[in-house]
Amino acid sequence: MNSTFNLDKGVKEALTKEEQRSNFRRATTTLRANSTKIFNPEEKEKMRRNVEYSKKKVLANLPDLLERFEEKCKENGIIVHWARDAEEARSITFNIAKKHDVKKIVKGKSMISEEIHLNPFLQEQGIQVVETDLGEFIIQLNGEPPSHIIVPAVHKNRYEIGRIFENELKVPYTDDVQELNAIARKSLREHFATADMGISGVNFAIANSGAILLVENEGNGRMCTTVPKVHVAFMGLERIVESFDDIPACLRLLTGSATGQLITTYVNIITGTRKPNEKDGPSEVHVIIVDNGRSAIYANEKFRSTLQCIRCGACLNNCPVYINIGGHAYQSVYPGPIGEILTTQLEGIEAKGELVSASSLCQSCSEVCPALIPIAQTIRNLREERVNKHGVVKGAGSKSSKLEAFSWKAWSWMNRSPRAYYLLLSFLTTFGFMIPKVSLLKQWTKGRAKPRFASKSLHSLVKKEDGVRYE
Protein backbone atom coordinates (compact mmCIF):
# COMPACT_ATOMS: atom_id res chain seq x y z
CA MET A 1 0.00 0.00 0.00
CA ASN A 2 1.20 3.48 -0.85
CA SER A 3 1.25 5.20 2.54
CA THR A 4 1.67 8.64 0.94
CA PHE A 5 -1.47 8.38 -1.18
CA ASN A 6 -4.22 10.69 0.04
CA LEU A 7 -6.87 11.58 -2.53
CA ASP A 8 -8.70 14.08 -0.32
CA LYS A 9 -5.50 15.99 0.29
CA GLY A 10 -4.59 15.94 -3.39
CA VAL A 11 -7.98 17.27 -4.43
CA LYS A 12 -7.99 20.04 -1.83
CA GLU A 13 -4.52 21.17 -2.90
CA ALA A 14 -5.53 21.15 -6.57
CA LEU A 15 -8.61 23.26 -5.92
CA THR A 16 -6.44 26.05 -4.45
CA LYS A 17 -4.34 26.37 -7.63
CA GLU A 18 -6.45 28.76 -9.67
CA GLU A 19 -3.89 29.36 -12.44
CA GLN A 20 -3.40 25.63 -12.95
CA ARG A 21 -7.15 24.98 -13.01
CA SER A 22 -7.55 27.77 -15.57
CA ASN A 23 -4.84 26.17 -17.73
CA PHE A 24 -6.63 22.81 -17.58
CA ARG A 25 -10.02 24.25 -18.47
CA ARG A 26 -8.61 26.23 -21.39
CA ALA A 27 -6.58 23.33 -22.78
CA THR A 28 -9.25 20.65 -22.44
CA THR A 29 -11.89 22.94 -23.95
CA THR A 30 -9.66 23.40 -27.00
CA LEU A 31 -8.93 19.68 -27.29
CA ARG A 32 -12.64 18.80 -27.06
CA ALA A 33 -13.59 21.40 -29.66
CA ASN A 34 -10.87 20.24 -32.08
CA SER A 35 -11.90 16.62 -31.70
CA THR A 36 -15.57 17.40 -32.31
CA LYS A 37 -14.84 19.36 -35.50
CA ILE A 38 -12.94 16.69 -37.40
CA PHE A 39 -15.32 13.76 -36.99
CA ASN A 40 -18.42 12.95 -38.93
CA PRO A 41 -20.66 11.31 -36.30
CA GLU A 42 -21.62 8.34 -38.49
CA GLU A 43 -18.04 7.79 -39.63
CA LYS A 44 -16.77 8.04 -36.06
CA GLU A 45 -19.28 5.50 -34.75
CA LYS A 46 -18.32 3.05 -37.49
CA MET A 47 -14.62 3.45 -36.63
CA ARG A 48 -15.35 3.01 -32.92
CA ARG A 49 -17.06 -0.31 -33.66
CA ASN A 50 -14.05 -1.34 -35.76
CA VAL A 51 -11.61 -0.48 -32.97
CA GLU A 52 -13.74 -2.25 -30.38
CA TYR A 53 -13.90 -5.35 -32.58
CA SER A 54 -10.13 -5.21 -33.20
CA LYS A 55 -9.30 -4.90 -29.49
CA LYS A 56 -11.78 -7.59 -28.42
CA LYS A 57 -10.29 -9.88 -31.07
CA VAL A 58 -6.86 -9.21 -29.56
CA LEU A 59 -8.04 -9.98 -26.04
CA ALA A 60 -9.72 -13.18 -27.20
CA ASN A 61 -6.41 -14.40 -28.64
CA LEU A 62 -3.85 -12.47 -26.60
CA PRO A 63 -1.42 -15.30 -25.65
CA ASP A 64 -1.24 -16.57 -29.25
CA LEU A 65 -0.77 -13.07 -30.68
CA LEU A 66 2.02 -12.26 -28.25
CA GLU A 67 3.84 -15.48 -29.11
CA ARG A 68 3.38 -14.76 -32.83
CA PHE A 69 4.71 -11.24 -32.33
CA GLU A 70 7.79 -12.56 -30.53
CA GLU A 71 8.46 -15.10 -33.29
CA LYS A 72 8.17 -12.48 -36.05
CA CYS A 73 10.36 -10.04 -34.10
CA LYS A 74 13.10 -12.67 -33.87
CA GLU A 75 12.88 -13.16 -37.65
CA ASN A 76 13.35 -9.40 -38.03
CA GLY A 77 16.35 -9.28 -35.70
CA ILE A 78 14.46 -7.64 -32.82
CA ILE A 79 15.24 -8.97 -29.34
CA VAL A 80 12.14 -9.55 -27.19
CA HIS A 81 12.17 -9.58 -23.38
CA TRP A 82 9.32 -10.43 -21.00
CA ALA A 83 9.00 -8.55 -17.71
CA ARG A 84 6.62 -9.82 -15.03
CA ASP A 85 6.77 -6.61 -13.01
CA ALA A 86 8.36 -3.17 -12.76
CA GLU A 87 11.49 -4.44 -11.05
CA GLU A 88 12.19 -6.99 -13.76
CA ALA A 89 11.56 -4.40 -16.51
CA ARG A 90 14.02 -1.99 -14.89
CA SER A 91 16.60 -4.75 -14.44
CA ILE A 92 16.39 -5.77 -18.12
CA THR A 93 16.87 -2.15 -19.18
CA PHE A 94 19.87 -1.68 -16.93
CA ASN A 95 21.52 -4.86 -18.18
CA ILE A 96 21.16 -3.69 -21.78
CA ALA A 97 22.60 -0.29 -20.84
CA LYS A 98 25.45 -1.89 -18.90
CA LYS A 99 26.34 -4.16 -21.82
CA HIS A 100 26.77 -1.14 -24.09
CA ASP A 101 28.40 1.11 -21.48
CA VAL A 102 25.54 3.60 -21.79
CA LYS A 103 26.07 6.98 -20.11
CA LYS A 104 23.21 8.95 -21.63
CA ILE A 105 19.71 7.96 -22.77
CA VAL A 106 17.31 10.03 -24.86
CA LYS A 107 13.72 9.06 -24.27
CA GLY A 108 10.55 9.44 -26.28
CA LYS A 109 7.18 9.59 -24.60
CA SER A 110 6.36 6.36 -22.77
CA MET A 111 3.69 6.10 -20.10
CA ILE A 112 4.73 2.58 -19.17
CA SER A 113 8.24 3.81 -18.36
CA GLU A 114 6.56 6.28 -15.99
CA GLU A 115 4.53 3.41 -14.55
CA ILE A 116 7.65 1.38 -13.68
CA HIS A 117 9.52 4.49 -12.42
CA LEU A 118 12.34 3.93 -14.88
CA ASN A 119 13.96 7.38 -14.88
CA PRO A 120 14.77 7.57 -11.13
CA PHE A 121 16.14 4.03 -11.22
CA LEU A 122 18.49 4.68 -14.15
CA GLN A 123 19.64 7.97 -12.69
CA GLU A 124 20.50 6.17 -9.45
CA GLN A 125 22.75 3.92 -11.54
CA GLY A 126 24.61 6.97 -12.85
CA ILE A 127 22.90 7.08 -16.26
CA GLN A 128 21.60 10.42 -17.54
CA VAL A 129 18.05 10.24 -18.90
CA VAL A 130 16.74 13.09 -21.05
CA GLU A 131 13.05 13.34 -21.91
CA THR A 132 12.73 14.62 -25.49
CA ASP A 133 8.97 15.04 -25.91
CA LEU A 134 8.47 18.79 -25.39
CA GLY A 135 5.88 18.36 -22.64
CA GLU A 136 7.95 15.70 -20.87
CA PHE A 137 11.07 17.84 -21.30
CA ILE A 138 9.35 20.79 -19.59
CA ILE A 139 8.10 18.84 -16.59
CA GLN A 140 11.40 16.97 -16.23
CA LEU A 141 13.17 20.33 -15.96
CA ASN A 142 10.64 21.35 -13.32
CA GLY A 143 10.82 18.06 -11.39
CA GLU A 144 7.18 17.11 -11.94
CA PRO A 145 5.34 14.00 -13.15
CA PRO A 146 3.02 14.19 -16.20
CA SER A 147 -0.45 15.58 -15.59
CA HIS A 148 -2.03 14.10 -18.74
CA ILE A 149 -1.34 10.89 -20.66
CA ILE A 150 -1.13 12.74 -24.00
CA VAL A 151 -0.18 16.33 -23.09
CA PRO A 152 2.14 15.96 -20.07
CA ALA A 153 2.56 19.71 -19.46
CA VAL A 154 -1.05 20.69 -20.13
CA HIS A 155 -1.16 22.35 -16.70
CA LYS A 156 1.53 24.88 -17.71
CA ASN A 157 0.99 28.03 -19.75
CA ARG A 158 3.66 29.75 -21.87
CA TYR A 159 4.55 32.23 -19.13
CA GLU A 160 5.29 29.42 -16.67
CA ILE A 161 7.29 27.55 -19.31
CA GLY A 162 9.28 30.69 -20.02
CA ARG A 163 10.23 30.95 -16.36
CA ILE A 164 11.18 27.25 -16.22
CA PHE A 165 13.49 27.64 -19.23
CA GLU A 166 14.98 30.81 -17.76
CA ASN A 167 15.74 29.11 -14.42
CA GLU A 168 16.80 25.66 -15.63
CA LEU A 169 18.38 26.30 -19.04
CA LYS A 170 19.86 29.68 -18.10
CA VAL A 171 18.42 31.49 -21.13
CA PRO A 172 16.80 34.95 -21.30
CA TYR A 173 13.12 34.90 -20.39
CA THR A 174 10.63 34.74 -23.23
CA ASP A 175 7.01 33.71 -23.47
CA ASP A 176 6.94 33.64 -27.27
CA VAL A 177 5.89 30.13 -28.33
CA GLN A 178 8.18 29.95 -31.36
CA GLU A 179 11.16 31.11 -29.33
CA LEU A 180 10.39 28.59 -26.58
CA ASN A 181 10.26 25.81 -29.18
CA ALA A 182 13.58 26.95 -30.61
CA ILE A 183 15.21 26.93 -27.17
CA ALA A 184 14.00 23.38 -26.51
CA ARG A 185 15.08 22.22 -29.97
CA LYS A 186 18.58 23.63 -29.55
CA SER A 187 18.97 22.05 -26.10
CA LEU A 188 17.74 18.64 -27.22
CA ARG A 189 19.76 18.52 -30.44
CA GLU A 190 23.00 18.10 -28.51
CA HIS A 191 21.51 15.26 -26.47
CA PHE A 192 20.36 13.39 -29.58
CA ALA A 193 23.87 13.60 -31.02
CA THR A 194 25.61 12.34 -27.88
CA ALA A 195 23.19 9.73 -26.52
CA ASP A 196 24.21 6.06 -26.34
CA MET A 197 20.71 4.62 -26.17
CA GLY A 198 17.17 5.60 -27.09
CA ILE A 199 13.99 4.56 -25.30
CA SER A 200 10.46 4.74 -26.65
CA GLY A 201 7.01 3.45 -25.97
CA VAL A 202 4.88 1.39 -28.36
CA ASN A 203 1.50 2.62 -29.55
CA PHE A 204 0.74 -0.56 -31.46
CA ALA A 205 2.65 -3.81 -31.98
CA ILE A 206 1.71 -5.75 -35.11
CA ALA A 207 1.69 -9.48 -34.41
CA ASN A 208 1.72 -10.76 -38.00
CA SER A 209 4.68 -8.56 -38.98
CA GLY A 210 6.82 -8.31 -35.86
CA ALA A 211 6.73 -4.53 -36.17
CA ILE A 212 6.20 -1.74 -33.66
CA LEU A 213 4.40 1.49 -34.49
CA LEU A 214 4.97 4.83 -32.74
CA VAL A 215 2.83 7.95 -33.09
CA GLU A 216 4.19 11.45 -32.42
CA ASN A 217 4.04 15.09 -33.50
CA GLU A 218 7.53 16.48 -32.93
CA GLY A 219 10.03 14.16 -34.60
CA ASN A 220 11.76 13.46 -31.30
CA GLY A 221 10.53 9.88 -31.34
CA ARG A 222 12.15 9.28 -34.68
CA MET A 223 15.41 10.76 -33.40
CA CYS A 224 15.34 8.55 -30.27
CA THR A 225 14.80 5.40 -32.33
CA THR A 226 17.25 6.04 -35.18
CA VAL A 227 20.23 8.08 -33.93
CA PRO A 228 21.49 6.10 -30.87
CA LYS A 229 23.13 2.73 -31.45
CA VAL A 230 20.62 0.93 -29.22
CA HIS A 231 16.84 1.29 -29.16
CA VAL A 232 14.70 -0.11 -26.32
CA ALA A 233 10.90 -0.03 -26.71
CA PHE A 234 8.51 -0.60 -23.81
CA MET A 235 5.04 -2.01 -24.39
CA GLY A 236 2.27 -3.21 -22.16
CA LEU A 237 1.26 -6.72 -23.17
CA GLU A 238 -2.12 -5.43 -24.39
CA ARG A 239 -0.67 -2.93 -26.91
CA ILE A 240 -0.92 -5.34 -29.81
CA VAL A 241 -3.06 -5.77 -32.92
CA GLU A 242 -3.21 -8.71 -35.27
CA SER A 243 -2.23 -7.04 -38.55
CA PHE A 244 -1.75 -3.72 -40.29
CA ASP A 245 -5.39 -3.95 -41.40
CA ASP A 246 -6.36 -3.03 -37.82
CA ILE A 247 -4.24 0.12 -37.80
CA PRO A 248 -6.18 2.74 -39.91
CA ALA A 249 -9.22 3.01 -37.61
CA CYS A 250 -7.02 2.90 -34.51
CA LEU A 251 -4.75 5.67 -35.81
CA ARG A 252 -7.61 7.86 -37.00
CA LEU A 253 -9.40 7.66 -33.66
CA LEU A 254 -6.21 7.94 -31.59
CA THR A 255 -5.05 11.21 -33.16
CA GLY A 256 -8.54 12.63 -33.60
CA SER A 257 -9.66 11.85 -30.06
CA ALA A 258 -6.39 12.95 -28.49
CA THR A 259 -5.61 16.28 -30.15
CA GLY A 260 -8.21 16.78 -32.86
CA GLN A 261 -5.83 16.07 -35.74
CA LEU A 262 -6.85 14.33 -38.95
CA ILE A 263 -3.56 12.50 -38.80
CA THR A 264 -0.50 12.76 -36.60
CA THR A 265 2.69 14.34 -37.93
CA TYR A 266 4.89 11.26 -37.63
CA VAL A 267 3.99 7.58 -37.82
CA ASN A 268 7.12 5.51 -37.22
CA ILE A 269 7.08 1.81 -38.12
CA ILE A 270 10.11 -0.14 -36.92
CA THR A 271 10.73 -3.60 -38.33
CA GLY A 272 14.32 -4.27 -37.30
CA THR A 273 17.85 -2.97 -36.99
CA ARG A 274 19.87 -0.89 -39.42
CA LYS A 275 20.48 -2.64 -42.73
CA PRO A 276 23.97 -2.63 -44.34
CA ASN A 277 22.96 -0.03 -46.95
CA GLU A 278 21.16 2.31 -44.52
CA LYS A 279 22.73 5.49 -43.12
CA ASP A 280 20.95 5.54 -39.80
CA GLY A 281 19.18 3.28 -37.36
CA PRO A 282 20.25 1.29 -34.30
CA SER A 283 22.45 -1.79 -34.39
CA GLU A 284 20.23 -3.38 -31.71
CA VAL A 285 16.47 -3.13 -31.14
CA HIS A 286 14.94 -4.51 -27.96
CA VAL A 287 11.24 -4.77 -27.09
CA ILE A 288 10.35 -5.21 -23.43
CA ILE A 289 6.83 -6.62 -23.00
CA VAL A 290 5.63 -5.59 -19.55
CA ASP A 291 2.94 -7.35 -17.53
CA ASN A 292 3.02 -5.56 -14.16
CA GLY A 293 -0.52 -6.62 -13.25
CA ARG A 294 -2.06 -6.72 -16.73
CA SER A 295 -2.41 -10.50 -16.86
CA ALA A 296 -4.53 -10.30 -13.69
CA ILE A 297 -6.86 -7.84 -15.43
CA TYR A 298 -6.92 -10.08 -18.49
CA ALA A 299 -7.91 -13.07 -16.35
CA ASN A 300 -11.11 -11.37 -15.15
CA GLU A 301 -13.69 -11.13 -17.94
CA LYS A 302 -15.66 -8.59 -15.90
CA PHE A 303 -12.78 -6.09 -16.10
CA ARG A 304 -10.92 -7.24 -19.23
CA SER A 305 -12.29 -4.39 -21.35
CA THR A 306 -9.95 -2.04 -19.43
CA LEU A 307 -7.17 -3.39 -21.67
CA GLN A 308 -8.93 -2.09 -24.81
CA CYS A 309 -7.61 1.41 -24.07
CA ILE A 310 -5.57 3.03 -26.89
CA ARG A 311 -4.32 5.87 -24.62
CA CYS A 312 -5.98 8.76 -26.46
CA GLY A 313 -6.88 10.77 -23.34
CA ALA A 314 -10.39 11.61 -24.56
CA CYS A 315 -11.92 10.49 -21.27
CA LEU A 316 -9.68 12.96 -19.41
CA ASN A 317 -10.59 15.85 -21.70
CA ASN A 318 -14.31 15.25 -21.13
CA CYS A 319 -14.28 14.42 -17.41
CA PRO A 320 -15.68 17.24 -15.22
CA VAL A 321 -13.67 15.97 -12.26
CA TYR A 322 -10.33 15.83 -14.10
CA ILE A 323 -10.92 19.23 -15.72
CA ASN A 324 -11.38 20.83 -12.30
CA ILE A 325 -8.64 19.10 -10.30
CA GLY A 326 -6.04 18.19 -12.93
CA GLY A 327 -3.82 15.16 -13.20
CA HIS A 328 -1.54 15.54 -10.18
CA ALA A 329 -4.45 15.32 -7.73
CA TYR A 330 -4.80 11.63 -8.62
CA GLN A 331 -1.20 10.99 -7.43
CA SER A 332 -0.92 8.25 -10.04
CA VAL A 333 0.77 7.79 -13.39
CA TYR A 334 -2.60 7.38 -15.13
CA PRO A 335 -5.05 10.11 -14.07
CA GLY A 336 -8.67 10.69 -15.04
CA PRO A 337 -11.33 8.05 -15.67
CA ILE A 338 -9.05 5.51 -17.39
CA GLY A 339 -6.55 5.98 -14.58
CA GLU A 340 -9.22 5.28 -11.98
CA ILE A 341 -9.99 1.86 -13.41
CA LEU A 342 -6.48 0.95 -14.60
CA THR A 343 -4.48 2.07 -11.56
CA THR A 344 -6.97 0.57 -9.09
CA GLN A 345 -6.51 -2.81 -10.77
CA LEU A 346 -2.74 -2.59 -11.33
CA GLU A 347 -1.88 -1.43 -7.81
CA GLY A 348 -4.79 -2.95 -5.93
CA ILE A 349 -7.85 -1.65 -4.13
CA GLU A 350 -6.11 -1.33 -0.78
CA ALA A 351 -3.45 0.94 -2.30
CA LYS A 352 -5.43 3.05 -4.79
CA GLY A 353 -9.08 2.03 -4.48
CA GLU A 354 -10.03 5.52 -3.34
CA LEU A 355 -9.51 6.69 -6.93
CA VAL A 356 -12.86 5.28 -8.06
CA SER A 357 -14.60 7.80 -5.81
CA ALA A 358 -13.21 10.63 -7.99
CA SER A 359 -16.06 10.29 -10.46
CA SER A 360 -19.48 11.84 -10.89
CA LEU A 361 -20.59 8.83 -13.01
CA CYS A 362 -21.90 11.27 -15.61
CA GLN A 363 -21.02 8.77 -18.37
CA SER A 364 -19.03 11.31 -20.43
CA CYS A 365 -15.97 9.06 -20.39
CA SER A 366 -17.92 6.09 -21.76
CA GLU A 367 -19.62 8.21 -24.40
CA VAL A 368 -16.36 9.51 -25.91
CA CYS A 369 -14.14 6.41 -25.55
CA PRO A 370 -13.02 5.41 -29.06
CA ALA A 371 -12.61 1.78 -27.97
CA LEU A 372 -16.09 1.72 -26.39
CA ILE A 373 -14.79 0.79 -22.94
CA PRO A 374 -17.68 0.97 -20.43
CA ILE A 375 -15.58 3.12 -18.10
CA ALA A 376 -18.40 4.41 -15.90
CA GLN A 377 -19.81 0.92 -15.37
CA THR A 378 -16.32 -0.37 -14.57
CA ILE A 379 -15.95 2.38 -11.96
CA ARG A 380 -19.21 1.23 -10.38
CA ASN A 381 -18.03 -2.37 -10.45
CA LEU A 382 -14.75 -1.41 -8.75
CA ARG A 383 -16.66 0.49 -6.09
CA GLU A 384 -18.46 -2.77 -5.35
CA GLU A 385 -15.12 -4.61 -5.27
CA ARG A 386 -13.92 -2.28 -2.51
CA VAL A 387 -16.49 -3.73 -0.10
CA ASN A 388 -16.87 -7.22 -1.56
CA LYS A 389 -14.59 -9.67 0.25
CA HIS A 390 -15.34 -12.24 -2.44
CA GLY A 391 -14.34 -9.92 -5.28
CA VAL A 392 -11.82 -10.69 -8.02
CA VAL A 393 -9.59 -7.59 -7.95
CA LYS A 394 -6.45 -7.50 -5.81
CA GLY A 395 -7.38 -6.14 -2.38
CA ALA A 396 -11.12 -6.69 -2.88
CA GLY A 397 -13.07 -6.11 0.31
CA SER A 398 -10.28 -4.13 1.97
CA LYS A 399 -12.59 -1.14 2.36
CA SER A 400 -15.53 -3.11 3.73
CA SER A 401 -17.21 -1.90 6.91
CA LYS A 402 -19.36 -3.91 9.31
CA LEU A 403 -21.46 -0.84 10.01
CA GLU A 404 -22.00 -0.19 6.30
CA ALA A 405 -22.86 -3.86 5.69
CA PHE A 406 -25.35 -3.78 8.58
CA SER A 407 -26.87 -0.54 7.25
CA TRP A 408 -27.50 -2.07 3.82
CA LYS A 409 -29.01 -5.20 5.35
CA ALA A 410 -31.27 -3.03 7.47
CA TRP A 411 -32.25 -0.99 4.40
CA SER A 412 -33.03 -4.21 2.49
CA TRP A 413 -35.15 -5.56 5.35
CA MET A 414 -36.98 -2.27 5.76
CA ASN A 415 -37.93 -2.15 2.06
CA ARG A 416 -39.34 -5.67 2.27
CA SER A 417 -41.53 -4.76 5.24
CA PRO A 418 -44.24 -2.12 4.52
CA ARG A 419 -44.86 -1.58 8.22
CA ALA A 420 -41.18 -0.96 8.97
CA TYR A 421 -40.92 1.28 5.91
CA TYR A 422 -43.80 3.53 6.97
CA LEU A 423 -42.56 3.72 10.57
CA LEU A 424 -39.12 4.86 9.43
CA LEU A 425 -40.66 7.28 6.93
CA SER A 426 -42.80 8.80 9.65
CA PHE A 427 -39.77 9.14 11.91
CA LEU A 428 -37.63 10.83 9.24
CA THR A 429 -40.28 13.34 8.20
CA THR A 430 -40.66 14.35 11.86
CA PHE A 431 -37.17 14.08 13.32
CA GLY A 432 -34.87 13.73 10.27
CA PHE A 433 -33.48 17.26 10.63
CA MET A 434 -32.09 16.32 14.06
CA ILE A 435 -29.88 13.44 12.83
CA PRO A 436 -26.24 14.39 13.62
CA LYS A 437 -23.40 14.18 11.08
CA VAL A 438 -21.71 11.07 12.45
CA SER A 439 -20.36 7.82 11.04
CA LEU A 440 -21.62 7.15 7.48
CA LEU A 441 -23.50 10.47 7.32
CA LYS A 442 -20.32 12.32 8.24
CA GLN A 443 -18.46 10.63 5.39
CA TRP A 444 -21.35 11.23 2.99
CA THR A 445 -21.52 14.95 3.74
CA LYS A 446 -17.81 15.56 3.06
CA GLY A 447 -18.72 16.45 -0.50
CA ARG A 448 -22.51 16.65 -0.32
CA ALA A 449 -25.23 18.56 1.48
CA LYS A 450 -26.93 16.82 4.37
CA PRO A 451 -30.22 15.22 3.22
CA ARG A 452 -33.33 17.32 3.96
CA PHE A 453 -36.52 15.41 4.59
CA ALA A 454 -39.89 16.84 3.59
CA SER A 455 -42.40 17.41 6.37
CA LYS A 456 -44.87 15.19 4.51
CA SER A 457 -44.09 12.12 2.46
CA LEU A 458 -45.33 11.54 -1.08
CA HIS A 459 -47.41 8.62 0.17
CA SER A 460 -49.22 10.80 2.73
CA LEU A 461 -49.88 13.52 0.14
CA VAL A 462 -51.30 11.03 -2.33
CA LYS A 463 -53.46 9.49 0.39
CA LYS A 464 -54.73 12.92 1.39
CA GLU A 465 -55.62 13.77 -2.22
CA ASP A 466 -57.30 10.38 -2.60
CA GLY A 467 -55.06 9.32 -5.43
CA VAL A 468 -52.98 11.06 -8.09
CA ARG A 469 -54.55 13.44 -10.58
CA TYR A 470 -53.05 13.85 -14.05
CA GLU A 471 -53.80 17.10 -15.87
Side-chain angles (χ1 to χ4, degrees):
M1 181 175 178
N2 184 353
S3 59
T4 63
F5 176 73
N6 186 323
L7 183 62
D8 283 349
K9 183 179 178 182
V11 169
K12 288 176 182 177
E13 288 179 359
L15 292 175
T16 64
K17 300 176 181 178
E18 287 299 330
E19 184 176 28
Q20 178 175 289
R21 294 178 67 201
S22 175
N23 294 341
F24 271 109
R25 286 193 294 269
R26 182 168 56 252
T28 52
T29 298
T30 301
L31 291 170
R32 288 197 308 275
N34 291 344
S35 180
T36 302
K37 288 177 185 176
I38 66 159
F39 284 121
N40 173 286
E42 292 182 6
E43 177 195 23
K44 182 178 181 181
E45 193 57 32
K46 183 179 179 180
M47 287 189 294
R48 291 175 78 197
R49 296 294 176 187
N50 287 341
V51 170
E52 181 193 31
Y53 172 77
S54 172
K55 297 300 290 184
K56 284 188 179 297
K57 181 175 62 173
V58 163
L59 294 176
N61 302 281
L62 186 58
D64 291 339
L65 289 175
L66 287 170
E67 289 180 4
R68 191 187 311 170
F69 174 70
E70 180 183 27
E71 181 182 338
K72 291 295 182 180
C73 280
K74 287 179 179 178
E75 292 176 8
N76 294 338
I78 296 174
I79 303 167
V80 176
H81 308 264
W82 299 82
R84 287 167 294 184
D85 52 29
E87 183 179 358
E88 189 168 5
R90 292 192 299 262
S91 177
I92 292 169
T93 311
F94 177 65
N95 289 336
I96 296 169
K98 187 177 180 181
K99 173 186 172 184
H100 293 278
D101 193 27
V102 171
K103 298 293 189 296
K104 181 191 290 187
I105 294 173
V106 284
K107 196 162 157 287
K109 193 171 183 302
S110 167
M111 290 305 295
I112 201 162
S113 71
E114 298 281 351
E115 177 187 324
I116 65 173
H117 307 293
L118 182 66
N119 287 14
F121 169 79
L122 291 174
Q123 287 162 352
E124 287 174 3
Q125 313 309 314
I127 299 173
Q128 183 183 5
V129 182
V130 181
E131 294 285 355
T132 64
D133 172 88
L134 180 57
E136 294 277 1
F137 178 64
I138 291 166
I139 61 173
Q140 184 183 40
L141 288 175
N142 208 43
E144 293 180 276
S147 60
H148 193 288
I149 62 176
I150 294 295
V151 196
V154 69
H155 58 297
K156 299 292 184 188
N157 57 40
R158 58 193 174 101
Y159 308 107
E160 293 172 288
I161 295 168
R163 290 191 289 270
I164 292 170
F165 281 8
E166 179 185 26
N167 295 333
E168 302 301 326
L169 299 179
K170 310 304 178 186
V171 296
Y173 172 83
T174 179
D175 53 43
D176 181 85
V177 174
Q178 291 186 348
E179 290 180 10
L180 291 170
N181 282 330
I183 291 169
R185 189 178 298 116
K186 182 179 178 181
S187 177
L188 290 171
R189 191 169 293 156
E190 179 184 348
H191 293 301
F192 287 130
T194 56
D196 308 299
M197 189 166 95
I199 287 178
S200 75
V202 173
N203 289 101
F204 302 101
I206 297 85
N208 289 352
S209 304
I212 58 175
L213 186 148
L214 286 74
V215 177
E216 50 149 336
N217 277 318
E218 301 166 20
N220 65 297
R222 186 164 293 181
M223 296 290 282
C224 290
T225 59
T226 57
V227 178
K229 60 186 179 183
V230 181
H231 169 212
V232 177
F234 284 88
M235 63 172 277
L237 57 79
E238 81 281 15
R239 306 308 300 275
I240 195 164
V241 294
E242 185 172 10
S243 71
F244 276 108
D245 292 339
D246 299 305
I247 291 297
C250 289
L251 272 186
R252 179 81 167 83
L253 281 175
L254 173 60
T255 57
S257 302
T259 55
Q261 294 171 274
L262 284 170
I263 190 168
T264 191
T265 309
Y266 296 91
V267 176
N268 305 310
I269 299 173
I270 297 168
T271 57
T273 58
R274 181 195 302 189
K275 304 299 186 291
N277 61 336
E278 292 179 335
K279 294 183 178 180
D280 57 19
S283 56
E284 278 190 20
V285 177
H286 299 259
V287 175
I288 302 177
I289 302 175
V290 182
D291 183 339
N292 203 36
R294 286 163 174 77
S295 59
I297 300 175
Y298 174 75
N300 298 319
E301 290 190 17
K302 185 177 182 181
F303 295 103
R304 188 178 292 176
S305 62
T306 304
L307 300 179
Q308 293 173 205
C309 177
I310 62 173
R311 301 292 191 274
C312 68
C315 60
L316 281 70
N317 302 335
N318 288 269
C319 175
V321 178
Y322 174 86
I323 291 168
N324 279 285
I325 66 175
H328 291 159
Y330 294 83
Q331 301 155 69
S332 303
V333 172
Y334 304 103
I338 189 62
E340 291 171 35
I341 64 174
L342 181 60
T343 304
T344 299
Q345 294 178 75
L346 291 179
E347 298 190 35
I349 286 175
E350 190 172 3
K352 291 291 180 70
E354 191 67 26
L355 285 172
V356 294
S357 65
S359 171
S360 65
L361 297 179
C362 67
Q363 298 279 347
S364 291
C365 50
S366 302
E367 289 175 5
V368 299
C369 177
L372 294 175
I373 303 171
I375 300 176
Q377 181 59 53
T378 305
I379 290 173
R380 282 192 286 267
N381 291 340
L382 286 168
R383 288 182 177 182
E384 291 178 9
E385 290 282 309
R386 296 182 74 201
V387 297
N388 181 9
K389 292 183 178 179
H390 303 290
V392 295
V393 177
K394 181 171 68 174
S398 59
K399 303 297 181 180
S400 61
S401 160
K402 290 183 178 179
L403 177 59
E404 185 175 353
F406 172 78
S407 299
W408 283 115
K409 285 183 179 179
W411 179 87
S412 175
W413 172 79
M414 179 198 71
N415 279 275
R416 292 197 305 269
S417 169
R419 184 175 179 82
Y421 178 84
Y422 286 117
L423 283 173
L424 179 63
L425 195 63
S426 176
F427 172 81
L428 291 175
T429 55
T430 307
F431 302 105
F433 70 94
M434 299 174 60
I435 298 176
K437 294 182 181 180
V438 295
S439 189
L440 294 177
L441 187 58
K442 182 179 180 181
Q443 186 176 354
W444 172 267
T445 54
K446 279 184 178 180
R448 306 171 180 86
K450 181 182 174 182
R452 294 178 62 186
F453 298 96
S455 58
K456 294 182 179 179
S457 69
L458 177 62
H459 289 83
S460 64
L461 291 172
V462 170
K463 187 176 181 180
K464 181 180 178 182
E465 294 292 333
D466 191 26
V468 180
R469 294 185 177 88
Y470 296 93
E471 297 179 357

